[in-house]
Amino acid sequence: MLGRNFLDGHENGKKRSLLGRTDGMIAAFVPASLAQLALRLALAVPFWRSGMGKWDGFLELNDVALLLFTSEFQLHLPGGPYPFPAPAVTAFIVACAEVLLPIFLVLGLATRLAALGLLAMTIVIQFTIPDGWPIHLTWAAMALGVIAAGAGRLSLDHWLMTPVAPGK
């Protein structure tokens, strides 16, 4: 869990006091909410940039996006590679998701759901471009971090889920 010292529950009191205090001081400089915001932003950027590069105008995919999904991208599964089903529809859905899900992440709105969507996309991207695993692993780690830790205090999710005291 974010914000918890790595030595919580350590049995050696001397090590706990020295290392625990040091760990606590470091943690005080980087609140969990800041780390959660950084994860959300870092995960949003590559998908946003990819999504924006697929459009020519409002709801109008560019020729390159269509070409990629119709003739370049293939799923590298056992017995394959296989072309994407309904490539024009797939390209449209992917391009929409690559723009909308990062917006949700940046705002911290439906954050875990948005991160889950980007994790699913990352898995499909890995099957499409198997040699890209180092960056895909990084995206997956960030998505899993956001899913596990949530949006944090610097988010609309936090603001919307915080109960308002009566009379305020």
Side-chain angles (χ1 to χ4, degrees):
M1 171 177 261
L2 287 175
R4 187 170 176 196
N5 292 339
F6 74 95
L7 291 172
D8 282 354
H10 193 278
E11 295 177 15
N12 184 336
K14 189 177 247 183
K15 283 186 182 178
R16 182 177 181 174
S17 65
L18 175 61
L19 292 175
R21 285 192 310 245
T22 304
D23 184 55
M25 287 188 298
I26 294 169
F29 285 107
V30 182
S33 57
L34 182 60
Q36 289 164 298
L37 176 62
L39 272 177
R40 292 186 353 242
L41 295 175
L43 181 58
V45 167
F47 286 93
W48 170 263
R49 291 182 67 188
S50 177
M52 292 306 290
K54 289 180 173 66
W55 297 100
D56 269 343
F58 183 71
L59 298 180
E60 185 180 328
L61 285 177
N62 62 34
D63 294 337
V64 173
L66 292 171
L67 177 71
L68 287 173
F69 281 88
T70 56
S71 61
E72 294 292 321
F73 289 164
Q74 294 190 349
L75 294 169
H76 296 272
L77 298 169
Y82 301 102
F84 272 89
V89 173
T90 302
F92 184 82
I93 291 169
V94 166
C96 288
E98 285 181 331
V99 171
L100 293 175
L101 295 176
I103 290 171
F104 284 117
L105 273 185
V106 169
L107 294 175
L109 182 63
T111 306
R112 285 188 165 112
L113 185 61
L116 181 63
L118 293 179
L119 177 61
M121 288 180 67
T122 299
I123 293 167
V124 173
I125 292 167
Q126 176 57 35
F127 286 122
T128 305
I129 308 168
D131 292 339
W133 70 266
I135 193 70
H136 304 156
L137 181 60
T138 304
W139 295 344
M142 288 188 289
L144 289 169
V146 171
I147 292 167
R153 297 177 65 110
L154 303 174
S155 68
L156 288 177
D157 284 346
H158 178 75
W159 183 74
L160 292 170
M161 291 183 196
T162 302
V164 176
K168 289 192 177 190

